[in-house]
Amino acid sequence: MCGIVGYIGNEQAAPFLLDGLKKLEYRGYDSAGIAVYNDSGIDVEKVKGRIKVLSDMLQGGTRVKGSLGIGHTRWATHGKPSDINSHPHMSETGNFAVVHNGIIENHMKLKNHLQELGKSFVSDTDTEVVAHLLDHFYKGDILDAIIKVINMVEGSYALGIICKDDPDTLYAVRKDNPLIIGLGKHENFIASDIPAILEKTRDIYRMQDNEIAEIKRESVTVYNMAKEVIPFEPYHVNWDIGAAEKGGYEHFMLKEIMEQPKAIQDTISPRIKNGKIVLDEMNLTPEELNRFQKIVIVACGSSYHVGVVSKYVIEKLARIPVEVDLASEFRYRDPLVDETSLVIAISQSGETADTLEALREAKRRGAKVISVVNVVGSSIAMESDGVLYTWAGPEISVATTKAYSTQLAMLYMIAIYLAKQRNRIDDAAYDHYVSELQRLPSLVEQALQNKEVVQYVASRHFNAKSIFFIGRNIDYALSLEGSLKLKEISYIHSEAYAAGELKHGTISLIEDGTLVVALATCKKLFDKTMSNAVEVKTRGACILGLTTEGNEKINDVADHVFYVPEAEELFMPSLAVIPLQLFAYYIALMKNCDIDNPRNLAKSVTVE
Ligand code: AGP
């Protein structure tokens, strides 16, 4: 996810562009840049680092003159964060400057074609292809050139474009990524999101897919891909600025919980081609994949919990032994890893010191290391032998949600991929798992609809002193995450326990009214989990059950039930985690906790 801004009017563009980018920094912040049209052509200023670095470099924008410009704050997807990979990107002639949010999925094919035509590329980004294609198709009509380019590219994009030959027009294109037009007086704007323009105007138009806008100081014209003019209705925004950055949600955490269907979709879809999972990014040959005798997953916190879930999935499908280790423990246990081990490091931030050091220890011992990371160009990504990026976009809230869910999806893909590579599943099973994987975004969307029952149960238990989460098999693995989510944002003590283990000691903590969340999506162990729930219920516990829709049997034991849509059992954590995230959120909300910035915590723990 990146942030785009654009300005055309009678004021200096640069100060607005920098201020707008600052307000979009939650969308990405590894590098930033602006391009402003002036008498000497298009002046492009861009640099790695946060907006402040750029703003300081440009003295708040006063150093760059011109009243037409575009700006971009980057969340790297293709090409690590660097000055040269920052946007805007220029065409070879210097005629066009482009900013882009999204992914050009066929950029390599187009890049090769353009290089054969003699175009020279300076960056590793997918976006630069758009700038060169504009040069290639431009014969005097900019709109025609844009339409030709859009017909060539595949993927998702929100584009801001300026052309040296047309100082009176700002162009915008939208497909699958948000782009709004701000309607001012003698000035107009574009932005990825409302916060960037709210101080200038509250009248906006949210562009629709496959629309192109021709934006001038006194007029805005919207076209479809057939160059037909599309009428549009402005919308008046009445949000306050603070709410706007969270997309209208009260907290980034809730926004990110609600973004999970798209985040999972964005992580899965580029890796499934013609029904087959393609994981070339692992950078492992089939021989290497078949040589590994075990997998060791190293991670911390919620990423570690993804590893615990993954153990069940990978061992079930690929029949490879999987060890899951807390990164901080792995490093000091003289681990048994060598060239026959595949180590998988999981990290949202890609900067967690414990995980980075565990990765280094594994490499020192000869193991191949791949990482599942959400931040392009982060330390863990750069030091891995292969990296599989999750496309969750920037996750602002300290408590991870969408990154956790995209990590799960990524590990499911690795499990299916390995199972096929090692002939552990036949074609029918492979197709089943791939299609079940592709159902997840819509099923998660459905699971997100059941907020009311979660809010109700949260209202009954937000004063709890301690809450237990129990489950068996993959439900146990998920219970770890449910418990952590609750603890870290509501400050209520909580423990996750294998349901079969409770009776070996911890059951002594159960008192009258203790809330026990019994996760029971694993069908073959449903009865056993319910009998464990009865054990605590008879000792006074209140049972909150979590199971698949239609399973009414749970009401024989549970006082409340969260139902989730049914999916392939191995992938049920992706559904069951949704009410648990919302449960933690609503309890913390009712306790007036600082949900996005919980006490004592940091988004990335870069110390041991
Ligand atoms: C999860 O909500 C916490 N913020 C924390 O446990 C986190 O998962 C852990 O610090 C690991 O972070 P990473 O995924 O960035 O490595």
Side-chain angles (χ1 to χ4, degrees):
M1 185 158 77
C2 302
I4 288 176
V5 291
Y7 175 82
I8 184 163
N10 301 312
E11 308 292 331
Q12 291 303 316
F16 162 75
L17 297 174
L18 292 169
D19 183 58
L21 290 177
K22 186 85 191 92
K23 294 193 171 64
L24 296 181
E25 204 163 26
Y26 70 86
R27 299 179 62 84
Y29 38 71
D30 57 46
S31 56
I34 65 173
V36 178
Y37 175 89
N38 54 42
D39 300 344
S40 58
I42 297 177
D43 181 354
V44 176
E45 305 284 349
K46 57 185 190 175
V47 65
K48 180 181 176 183
R50 302 200 67 136
I51 310 293
K52 187 177 183 316
V53 173
L54 178 69
S55 185
D56 291 350
M57 185 173 92
L58 303 180
Q59 289 120 39
T62 52
R63 194 163 67 70
V64 183
K65 301 300 177 199
S67 61
L68 164 63
I70 50 180
H72 185 273
T73 182
R74 187 170 183 238
W75 181 261
T77 56
H78 293 73
K80 68 180 194 297
S82 67
D83 295 355
I84 199 66
N85 285 336
S86 313
H87 300 212
H89 288 283
M90 292 295 287
S91 66
E92 214 171 24
T93 61
N95 228 358
F96 291 95
V98 181
V99 290
H100 168 224
N101 177 26
I103 293 181
I104 308 291
E105 292 182 0
N106 62 339
H107 72 281
M108 283 315 296
K109 193 176 93 187
L110 294 171
K111 183 170 183 174
N112 295 336
H113 176 63
L114 287 161
Q115 285 172 324
E116 283 160 13
L117 296 176
K119 298 287 181 189
S120 57
F121 284 72
V122 295
S123 80
D124 303 326
T125 68
D126 53 341
T127 306
E128 193 182 349
V129 161
V130 175
H132 292 306
L133 282 172
L134 285 166
D135 256 359
H136 178 70
F137 286 114
Y138 178 54
K139 305 283 182 268
D141 185 319
I142 298 169
L143 200 52
D144 280 349
I146 291 173
I147 290 173
K148 289 191 175 91
V149 170
I150 296 310
N151 284 324
M152 292 286 285
V153 300
E154 293 163 14
S156 65
Y157 41 81
L159 299 171
I161 300 167
I162 58 176
C163 177
K164 201 165 62 174
D165 290 357
D166 183 355
D168 299 317
T169 311
L170 167 63
Y171 293 89
V173 188
R174 190 247 194 234
K175 178 175 176 291
D176 295 336
N177 280 271
L179 195 55
I180 60 175
I181 299 170
L183 305 164
K185 287 191 177 21
H186 315 302
E187 59 184 10
N188 290 302
F189 314 83
I190 62 170
S192 298
D193 201 354
I194 290 170
I197 52 112
L198 210 48
E199 285 180 5
K200 293 288 186 179
T201 177
R202 287 182 173 271
D203 295 320
I204 68 163
Y205 170 59
R206 287 183 186 280
M207 293 183 71
Q208 301 302 303
D209 271 0
N210 302 312
E211 286 184 348
I212 304 161
E214 203 176 56
I215 303 159
K216 298 178 181 295
R217 290 173 178 78
E218 305 298 340
S219 69
V220 174
T221 310
V222 177
Y223 300 89
N224 62 17
M225 298 301 279
K227 219 174 163 181
E228 294 157 341
V229 174
I230 309 280
F232 64 90
E233 274 302 308
Y235 163 77
H236 187 78
V237 179
N238 49 24
W239 288 348
D240 64 61
I241 294 273
E245 283 185 11
K246 299 171 187 127
Y249 291 101
E250 192 175 348
H251 298 98
F252 278 113
M253 184 176 177
L254 187 56
K255 176 171 177 282
E256 288 154 8
I257 287 172
M258 302 309 284
E259 286 174 342
Q260 290 181 109
K262 181 175 186 312
I264 295 168
Q265 182 70 34
D266 290 351
T267 299
I268 290 174
S269 54
R271 295 170 168 116
I272 297 182
K273 307 221 185 298
N274 308 318
K276 303 294 177 218
I277 294 175
V278 179
L279 296 182
D280 298 344
E281 315 123 278
M282 279 206 289
N283 205 14
L284 294 170
T285 63
E287 296 69 38
E288 284 173 315
L289 282 174
N290 287 314
R291 188 183 69 211
F292 295 126
Q293 290 167 15
K294 73 175 176 182
I295 289 174
V296 180
I297 296 174
V298 293
C300 304
S302 294
S303 295
Y304 167 77
H305 298 157
V306 169
V308 180
V309 170
S310 308
K311 172 182 171 69
Y312 289 94
V313 183
I314 296 172
E315 289 190 344
K316 175 73 180 166
L317 294 184
R319 311 308 292 163
I320 306 174
V322 177
E323 292 172 21
V324 190
D325 228 333
L326 290 168
S328 53
E329 287 299 306
F330 173 83
R331 299 173 56 197
Y332 300 110
R333 68 174 174 87
D334 193 7
L336 290 172
V337 292
D338 58 23
E339 61 286 344
T340 66
S341 317
L342 172 63
V343 171
I344 302 178
I346 304 174
S347 175
Q348 185 282 131
S349 63
E351 299 298 345
T352 300
D354 289 324
T355 309
L356 180 58
E357 289 305 329
L359 175 157
R360 289 170 177 164
E361 181 63 27
K363 290 184 78 170
R364 275 192 289 272
R365 293 169 183 262
K368 274 278 186 193
V369 179
I370 62 172
S371 58
V372 175
V373 175
N374 195 46
V375 180
V376 174
S378 55
S379 306
I380 289 171
M382 300 311 283
E383 295 194 26
S384 302
D385 297 306
V387 56
L388 295 152
Y389 286 116
T390 49
W391 302 128
E395 188 176 66
I396 308 302
S397 189
V398 166
T400 184
T401 51
K402 62 177 184 173
Y404 171 89
S405 290
T406 54
Q407 288 169 349
L408 279 180
M410 193 72 251
L411 269 294
Y412 299 155
M413 281 194 275
I414 292 172
I416 301 166
Y417 183 84
L418 287 174
K420 195 74 180 71
Q421 281 287 335
R422 298 169 81 116
N423 297 315
R424 295 294 187 185
I425 55 175
D426 62 19
D427 290 347
Y430 179 81
D431 294 345
H432 162 73
Y433 290 117
V434 170
S435 64
E436 280 297 293
L437 194 63
Q438 291 176 301
R439 288 179 66 217
L440 286 181
S442 61
L443 291 177
V444 168
E445 191 67 61
Q446 280 177 48
L448 286 166
Q449 305 315 312
N450 304 337
K451 290 199 281 289
E452 290 68 27
V453 66
V454 179
Q455 283 172 298
Y456 169 71
V457 180
S459 69
R460 303 284 301 274
H461 293 281
F462 71 93
N463 282 317
K465 293 289 168 284
S466 185
I467 298 178
F468 289 79
F469 292 73
I470 65 171
R472 285 175 174 260
N473 195 280
I474 208 156
D475 285 323
Y476 162 62
L478 178 66
S479 69
L480 297 167
E481 179 60 10
S483 176
L484 176 63
K485 280 286 100 34
L486 178 77
K487 275 184 276 195
E488 67 177 327
I489 63 172
S490 74
Y491 314 144
I492 293 175
H493 172 262
S494 173
E495 287 197 50
Y497 244 82
E501 182 62 13
L502 212 54
K503 57 186 176 293
H504 298 287
T506 302
I507 199 167
S508 64
L509 299 180
I510 302 298
E511 300 168 339
D512 260 358
T514 302
L515 181 64
V516 176
V517 183
L519 282 68
T521 68
C522 180
K523 283 190 167 33
K524 64 178 185 293
L525 296 170
F526 176 81
D527 292 340
K528 288 205 178 296
T529 304
M530 286 302 104
S531 61
N532 297 136
V534 168
E535 283 162 10
V536 291
K537 191 176 176 82
T538 47
R539 289 162 173 82
C542 170
I543 303 298
L544 166 55
L546 193 159
T547 190
T548 47
E549 284 163 358
N551 179 352
E552 297 304 324
K553 239 179 107 190
I554 199 166
N555 291 301
D556 298 344
V557 178
D559 300 290
H560 312 289
V561 181
F562 291 163
Y563 283 107
V564 291
E566 188 160 359
E568 159 57 43
E569 198 158 90
L570 289 171
F571 304 164
M572 278 309 298
S574 298
L575 283 311
V577 75
I578 299 301
L580 299 184
Q581 292 168 343
L582 290 169
F583 186 58
Y585 174 79
Y586 287 120
I587 283 190
L589 187 65
M590 290 169 194
K591 293 188 70 178
N592 296 315
C593 293
D594 183 355
I595 290 173
D596 286 331
N597 301 289
R599 68 187 182 203
N600 310 336
L601 294 178
K603 185 58 185 169
S604 177
V605 184
T606 54
V607 293
E608 289 189 37

